Amino acid sequence: MSDLVLENIGKTYANGYHAIPSIDLNIEQGEFIVLVGPSGCGKSTLLRMVAGLETITQGDLLIKGERVNDKEPAARDIAMVFQNYALYPHMSVYDNMAYGLKNRGVNKDEIDTKVNAVAVMLGLEELLSRKPKQLSGGQRQRVAMGRAMVRDPKVFLFDEPLSNLDAKLRVQMRVEIRELQRKLGTTTLYVTHDQVEAMTLADRLVVLNKGHAEQIGTPMELYDRPASTFVAQFIGSPSMNLIPTSVKSEYLQLSVDIRLPCPQLADQKLIWGIRPEHVEICAAEEADVMLNVKAVEALGAETLVHGSLQLGDGNTPNFVVRLAGHHTPKLGERLPLRVPRSAWHLFDAETQQRVEKSCN
Amino acid sequence: MSVHFPQKKLPYLLLLPQLVITFIFFLWPAEQAIEQAFYQEDAFGLSREFVGLDNFIDIFQDPQYYTSIGVTLIFSFSVAFLGMALALWLAVMADRVIRGKLAYQTLLIWPYAVAPALAGVLWWILFDPSMGPVALWLETVGVEWNHFLNGDQAMILVVISATWKQISYNFLFFLAGLQAVPRSLIEAAAIDGASPAKRFWDIVFPLLSPTTFFLLVVNLVYAFFDTFGVIDATTQGGPGVSTATMVYKVFNDGFIGLDLGSSAAQSVVLMGLVGIMTVVQFRYIERKVEY
Amino acid sequence: MIENRPWLTAISHLSLLLGIAMVALPVWVALVASTHPTEAFGSGEIPLWFGDQAIQNWGAVLFAKAGNGIDVPVWSMMLNSLVMALGITIGKIAISILSAYAIVFFRFPFRGTAFWVIFITLMLPVEVRIVPTYEVVANLDMLNSYSGLVLPLIASATATFLFRQCFMTVPGELVEAARIDGAGPIRFFFDILMPLSRTNIAALFVIMFIYGWNQYLWPLIVTTDDAYYTLVMSIKRMLSVEQGDVEWNQVMVTTLLAMLPPVLVVVGMQKLFVKGLVDAEK
């Protein structure tokens, strides 16, 4: 039986605005699910509906098989870590973690045992008597997690918990969260807008766009076979190069004079895509396309070359190439590139959905 | 705040005490005052008669009412001006000094805690014509002081008493305002060659204008309503009606003169006035504070 | 200070000292006057230095009777003042905090109406509606009682606005965290909101205590029984005796005692007082 089930879940606000039309999701016991999408896509709303902080206006929410739509947040047996941590400023670290247990009438000794155990796990033993104000950002983050863990809930909910930390700490906490979740085996729903965070943490990702799930799958499924141009652009950095084009008489028409053989597809309008890291430099005579170099970003381990493609009809779409190691193309230089057929992604120009038939 | 508790009945319960008090002691009396303003009651309260707008017409035809308006205006603006000017001077001085700032502040703000009536009594004894040290000193320099007989002197006495108490309040707000003026602006003006006095009038005073305007409103409201004690304890509106402000007249006509209709009509006029002042004040505040 | 001009600094200090002297002058004279026998005032001028009757005067007024037609001692009126001041302060804070809580943390029909009804109390100072309010209190049979002294003065728009302002700065996540932790509105109020508003409550307490203690007109008209006289209004009664018969030394002792508690509060809790004053005016 799935641990957490969203069946046709939807949200319509009192003013008639459809924040979320309908979402279905089955989450298995112990799974780490990340909801990712740009701001305003409805990911936080969805999380808060699971938490019980927003009413569900349509569908069923099941936790361990029980319908909890109308239950108070406290009765759903969930725990949540907030973006700004929401620690009670006047309570010590210990009291912050103990508050939820106290309200549930857990006896003092048991609270003490639980809080101390979690404090040890998170390295907070020394800080238990401090107030949130006296803690660093990373420590507050840990206390917020401790407060969630101490209750041993059925589901963890995280609402962009790392966005208030600096870059270095974020990476460190990311690893810690993943480790802890594995150790505890608690089903987790995690909201973020950061695709790196999403890719590294998730067992499965849900990419949300304007309130509906564009794609649900493992990070690699999403990377290898994005279901739409939206997912293609959202997953991977720098994002996928996408160029509108069409198929005519078994050729992909990049332009009047650049035609790539594509025998399996009927004539249709398409969007052709390739990830920057899949493009290769080659000798001029083997080139599929030429790149007009406009900017070079050398990052040491890799080099990003920004430019525009020279398409014969005067069309010059922007194009990014990601090369391993050092490269020093000059600005204004014409760089010959090969675009391996195996790395192509094709999307329907109308629906923006993936076209599955490959060209080779 | 965008987050709310879902309970529907609890908020009414929470509001109940405040609303009950407001209804019994604010709205009911206000309604009675308005009703009363349209009736003429005999002095013993035995019978009353509907007289329409007569009470209002009467007060606006009564020269004494205009006198009380004049007294109120002179009194209020004198208190506001004097209190603010002195407080500003002291605040500027306190802002300049480095040593002893807090001690000065402490020694200047305590009169805020003194009840207006007591302030009146304290100054009365200083100016008492037969034994007050200030009155006797004035006599030696040729001023015949007797605020029991001389209306102008009575006015001066109540203005001094009311101002004395209010200086501390104005001082605190001016000092806070001065401390909020960015140091760099003053330094820039100094480098531009402005003298300390010029810096004050060209830079600091204009930047203080929100504080000044706010204090003006507060001081006027204070002089209108909170100074009843000063007047009642020292001059009781006298001699004659030379220190009877509008608020004092409402009390005097109602409780002493037992002309309830007229007193109520005056109450209604005052309520309107306070309403306007409150809205002005609220509008001003609302612009600063986001709701 | 930008330039170092010693004479300007000297003027500053001089002005401040002069200001302090002016402010303190009447209290000094009152203090001196309170140490002389009654006869000293008949002779035409208040003595300018302390007399030898301090202990007798202060003792008599505090513990025997205030004099000038008031037969109860000052300490009993002080008690009345304290009851009234604390009643007004605690009452105001309690009902304001509850209504602000309702207005900020709940959504319900007539929320706006309730807000405006409270706002109206701002427009109606007791001095303006004095006659009808007196009648209402008389009808309710509350003359010469503590409830009559306190209740009509405890509705406060200012305090409600202040708490509203303060509550609106509480992050919404804190409410949500509390809900997930199993705290309902009542528990949230006592466990989270009250501790967070401690300083605001304390600051308002200082301001409201002074306001309550200094009430003059209202106690003057609702009390006719000296058992309920408050200290501030008793001055008026003491001055109402035949001119010339006023025992000024006793009046001065009473005046000084009447102003002492609120002045001590202001000086002793200066920080809270300043905060309260600034907050109360937004």
Side-chain angles (χ1 to χ4, degrees):
Chain A
M1 184 176 59
S2 297
D3 213 35
L4 178 63
V5 178
L6 283 68
E7 263 175 28
N8 184 27
I9 290 283
K11 173 90 188 174
T12 309
Y13 282 101
N15 60 13
Y17 173 64
H18 280 279
I20 295 171
S22 169
I23 284 189
D24 288 290
L25 186 60
N26 279 293
I27 302 172
E28 302 300 324
Q29 161 71 38
E31 230 185 336
F32 198 122
I33 298 289
V34 174
L35 302 174
V36 67
S39 63
C41 71
K43 56 190 191 299
S44 281
T45 310
L46 191 60
L47 188 80
R48 290 159 54 81
M49 282 157 78
V50 175
L53 299 169
E54 297 268 2
T55 52
I56 298 171
T57 52
Q58 162 202 318
D60 296 308
L61 176 68
L62 306 161
I63 296 180
K64 295 247 188 253
E66 187 193 355
R67 186 175 185 275
V68 296
N69 281 38
D70 303 317
K71 281 198 169 180
E72 272 287 294
R76 294 186 182 193
D77 204 3
I78 47 106
M80 184 154 166
V81 177
F82 293 85
Q83 182 170 5
N84 63 6
Y85 320 134
L87 299 178
Y88 310 121
H90 60 295
M91 292 187 192
S92 67
V93 168
Y94 182 97
D95 290 334
N96 260 286
M97 295 206 275
Y99 189 62
L101 295 173
K102 270 185 202 156
N103 287 341
R104 285 173 172 74
V106 178
N107 75 52
K108 272 213 164 103
D109 295 338
E110 202 182 330
I111 293 179
D112 205 50
T113 319
K114 284 188 168 172
V115 172
N116 283 317
V118 170
V120 170
M121 212 188 294
L122 292 169
L124 293 169
E125 308 100 298
E126 308 290 312
L127 307 174
L128 283 175
S129 59
R130 294 224 195 142
K131 296 274 172 68
K133 225 185 281 173
Q134 300 163 292
L135 302 177
S136 69
Q139 289 167 334
R140 280 180 214 176
Q141 170 64 50
R142 277 206 189 90
V143 176
M145 302 221 334
R147 183 168 69 179
M149 284 161 57
V150 93
R151 295 223 329 266
D152 192 18
K154 291 199 189 97
V155 182
F156 278 145
L157 304 173
F158 290 86
D159 190 0
E160 309 220 14
L162 303 181
S163 55
N164 284 350
L165 299 177
D166 63 53
K168 196 176 156 200
L169 209 51
R170 205 177 313 167
V171 174
Q172 187 193 328
M173 288 308 297
R174 197 165 78 198
V175 175
E176 263 182 54
I177 289 179
R178 185 71 247 219
E179 267 176 22
L180 276 171
Q181 194 268 345
R182 288 243 164 81
K183 205 182 317 173
L184 298 168
T186 310
T187 310
T188 301
L189 204 53
Y190 186 108
V191 161
T192 181
H193 65 269
D194 180 318
Q195 57 111 352
V196 178
E197 219 171 285
M199 298 283 279
T200 50
L201 283 170
D203 289 326
R204 280 194 296 154
L205 278 169
V206 179
V207 180
L208 287 168
N209 181 24
K210 291 177 189 149
H212 71 267
E214 288 272 339
Q215 191 171 5
I216 301 174
T218 66
M220 285 313 112
E221 279 169 11
L222 266 61
Y223 179 82
D224 290 337
R225 299 164 53 77
S228 64
T229 51
F230 181 84
V231 178
Q233 282 190 301
F234 199 78
I235 301 294
S237 171
S239 64
M240 188 187 283
N241 297 301
L242 292 173
I243 295 170
T245 174
S246 60
V247 174
K248 239 181 238 162
S249 334
E250 304 192 336
Y251 277 94
L252 184 73
Q253 306 269 343
L254 271 184
S255 73
V256 203
D257 51 343
I258 305 176
R259 307 164 70 215
L260 303 173
C262 186
Q264 279 110 331
L265 287 180
D267 289 5
Q268 60 184 302
K269 285 200 179 264
L270 283 178
I271 292 170
W272 172 75
I274 187 160
R275 293 196 182 276
E277 53 269 40
H278 295 150
V279 181
E280 295 160 6
I281 298 190
C282 60
E285 57 275 17
E286 293 173 11
D288 293 323
V289 290
M290 302 298 278
L291 181 75
N292 213 348
V293 178
K294 284 181 175 165
V296 179
E297 294 176 328
L299 301 169
E302 60 189 39
T303 305
L304 299 180
V305 183
H306 297 261
S308 55
L309 288 188
Q310 283 305 112
L311 303 180
D313 53 0
N315 200 4
T316 55
N318 287 331
F319 202 80
V320 185
V321 182
R322 180 180 186 174
L323 305 165
H326 294 248
H327 293 266
T328 49
K330 287 189 190 61
L331 298 190
E333 186 184 330
R334 285 164 61 84
L335 208 59
L337 298 174
R338 215 163 44 152
V339 285
R341 239 123 288 190
S342 59
W344 286 13
H345 299 266
L346 295 171
F347 303 94
D348 188 288
E350 289 274 316
T351 63
Q352 307 276 311
Q353 297 299 304
R354 186 177 188 81
V355 174
E356 274 303 345
K357 277 184 185 164
S358 71
C359 291
N360 46 358
Chain B
M1 257 225 359
S2 57
V3 179
H4 307 108
F5 286 109
Q7 281 77 359
K8 291 289 164 220
K9 289 186 194 117
L10 187 62
Y12 294 106
L13 213 62
L14 295 169
L15 276 168
L16 196 65
Q18 174 98 302
L19 291 180
V20 167
I21 295 283
T22 308
F23 274 110
I24 296 180
F25 297 109
F26 285 78
L27 296 185
W28 185 15
E31 183 273 322
Q32 294 228 317
I34 293 169
E35 191 188 318
Q36 187 86 261
F38 295 97
Y39 284 90
Q40 185 70 56
E41 197 164 331
D42 70 74
F44 305 102
L46 296 175
S47 67
R48 64 180 198 175
E49 172 191 359
F50 184 79
V51 293
L53 288 172
D54 281 5
N55 287 323
F56 292 96
I57 294 166
D58 282 352
I59 58 172
F60 283 110
Q61 283 178 346
D62 178 5
Q64 284 213 354
Y65 195 65
Y66 292 98
T67 312
S68 82
I69 293 176
V71 166
T72 307
L73 291 179
I74 291 171
F75 175 72
S76 302
F77 280 94
S78 308
V79 169
F81 177 77
L82 207 62
M84 286 168 69
L86 286 171
L88 181 58
W89 172 254
L90 289 172
V92 169
M93 295 299 123
D95 191 41
R96 288 188 59 85
V97 304
I98 295 159
R99 239 170 303 169
K101 199 178 269 190
L102 192 68
Y104 283 131
Q105 178 178 311
T106 310
L107 290 170
L108 282 170
I109 62 170
W110 61 266
Y112 177 86
V114 177
L118 303 180
V121 173
L122 287 175
W123 284 95
W124 166 358
I125 188 166
L126 277 180
F127 280 92
D128 188 89
S130 63
M131 60 179 185
V134 177
L136 296 175
W137 173 77
L138 283 171
E139 210 167 311
T140 62
V141 297
V143 180
E144 201 63 46
W145 181 275
N146 191 340
H147 62 258
F148 293 114
L149 302 175
N150 183 323
D152 293 341
Q153 293 179 350
M155 177 60 92
I156 291 172
L157 178 64
V158 289
V159 166
I160 289 177
S161 311
T163 307
W164 175 74
K165 190 193 128 60
Q166 193 64 2
I167 285 180
S168 37
Y169 184 92
N170 298 343
F171 171 79
L172 271 178
F173 276 85
F174 273 133
L175 190 60
L178 285 169
Q179 280 164 351
V181 172
R183 201 104 198 101
S184 56
L185 281 182
I186 300 167
E187 285 165 352
I191 290 166
D192 282 340
S195 68
K198 210 167 161 43
R199 287 203 295 266
F200 178 79
W201 289 115
D202 290 352
I203 314 285
V204 178
F205 193 68
L207 287 174
L208 271 182
S209 60
T211 310
T212 312
F213 177 71
F214 161 77
L215 282 178
L216 181 67
V217 176
V218 170
N219 276 277
L220 290 177
V221 172
Y222 159 78
F224 260 57
F225 301 108
D226 296 345
T227 51
F228 177 88
V230 174
I231 292 166
D232 191 48
T234 48
T235 66
Q236 290 167 25
V241 289
S242 51
T243 53
T245 57
M246 292 161 80
V247 170
Y248 193 81
K249 202 166 147 51
V250 169
F251 163 80
N252 204 48
D253 290 357
F255 271 96
I256 316 291
L258 292 177
D259 186 353
L260 295 183
S262 170
S263 171
Q266 293 176 42
S267 277
V268 172
V269 171
L270 274 180
M271 283 179 209
L273 206 63
V274 188
I276 294 168
M277 276 166 119
T278 313
V279 169
V280 167
Q281 198 177 357
F282 198 69
R283 273 281 153 81
Y284 168 70
I285 290 161
E286 203 169 17
R287 237 181 303 141
K288 285 194 310 182
V289 189
E290 208 180 316
Y291 276 93
Chain C
M1 207 135 332
I2 314 290
E3 305 96 334
N4 188 18
R5 295 191 186 166
W7 59 271
L8 259 182
T9 310
I11 287 184
S12 303
H13 283 282
L14 212 66
S15 301
L16 288 164
L17 290 172
L18 206 69
I20 288 169
M22 253 174 47
V23 160
L25 175 72
V27 175
W28 169 262
V29 173
L31 207 57
V32 168
S34 75
T35 63
H36 287 275
T38 316
E39 304 84 71
F41 300 90
S43 63
E45 189 173 352
I46 296 179
L48 286 177
W49 193 247
F50 293 100
D52 52 5
Q53 294 275 312
I55 295 176
Q56 290 93 313
N57 289 349
W58 284 67
V61 167
L62 245 178
F63 300 112
K65 54 180 190 168
N68 293 290
I70 294 184
D71 295 330
V72 292
V74 160
W75 72 260
S76 105
M77 294 192 287
M78 210 170 222
L79 219 57
N80 289 339
S81 284
L82 195 70
V83 169
M84 179 179 69
L86 287 179
I88 290 174
T89 309
I90 294 168
K92 262 184 197 280
I93 289 177
I95 66 171
S96 304
I97 226 166
L98 291 180
S99 39
Y101 185 50
I103 285 172
V104 175
F105 288 91
F106 296 85
R107 283 292 170 273
F108 50 92
F110 302 113
R111 180 170 156 270
T113 318
F115 186 72
W116 276 99
V117 168
I118 294 167
F119 181 67
I120 281 174
T121 61
L122 255 190
M123 302 191 195
L124 301 171
V126 72
E127 285 78 8
V128 171
R129 56 191 165 84
I130 192 77
V131 179
T133 311
Y134 173 82
E135 281 169 1
V136 165
V137 171
N139 285 338
L140 295 173
D141 205 13
M142 296 204 303
L143 300 178
N144 285 317
S145 74
Y146 288 128
S147 53
L149 278 173
V150 170
L151 287 180
L153 298 175
I154 65 174
S156 171
T158 316
T160 311
F161 285 141
L162 175 67
F163 283 122
R164 176 169 167 267
Q165 213 78 342
C166 152
F167 289 169
M168 287 199 306
T169 63
V170 173
E173 281 92 342
L174 227 48
V175 181
E176 300 184 325
R179 281 183 73 188
I180 288 174
D181 272 342
I186 310 256
R187 203 173 263 175
F188 175 78
F189 181 79
F190 286 109
D191 286 354
I192 318 276
L193 200 59
M194 284 304 97
L196 283 180
S197 319
R198 252 185 341 225
T199 357
N200 284 293
I201 295 173
L204 200 67
F205 193 97
V206 171
I207 299 296
M208 291 305 169
F209 180 83
I210 295 168
Y211 166 88
W213 183 276
N214 287 344
Q215 280 307 310
Y216 170 78
L217 175 58
W218 184 246
L220 193 64
I221 63 169
V222 293
T223 61
T224 46
D225 174 356
D226 18 8
Y228 289 100
Y229 278 9
T230 66
L231 209 42
V232 171
M233 55 127 322
S234 74
I235 293 295
K236 165 80 175 176
R237 297 264 187 254
M238 294 176 82
L239 293 172
S240 303
V241 299
E242 206 48 46
Q243 185 74 38
D245 293 344
V246 178
E247 293 167 293
W248 281 105
N249 48 1
Q250 296 173 341
V251 173
M252 285 302 114
V253 175
T254 313
T255 305
L256 291 170
L257 283 169
M259 55 188 265
L260 194 63
V263 167
L264 283 183
V265 166
V266 165
V267 173
M269 296 184 231
Q270 197 174 157
K271 248 190 162 155
L272 279 177
F273 164 70
V274 173
K275 177 178 164 48
L277 212 56
V278 174
D279 286 354
E281 300 298 349
K282 268 78 85 173

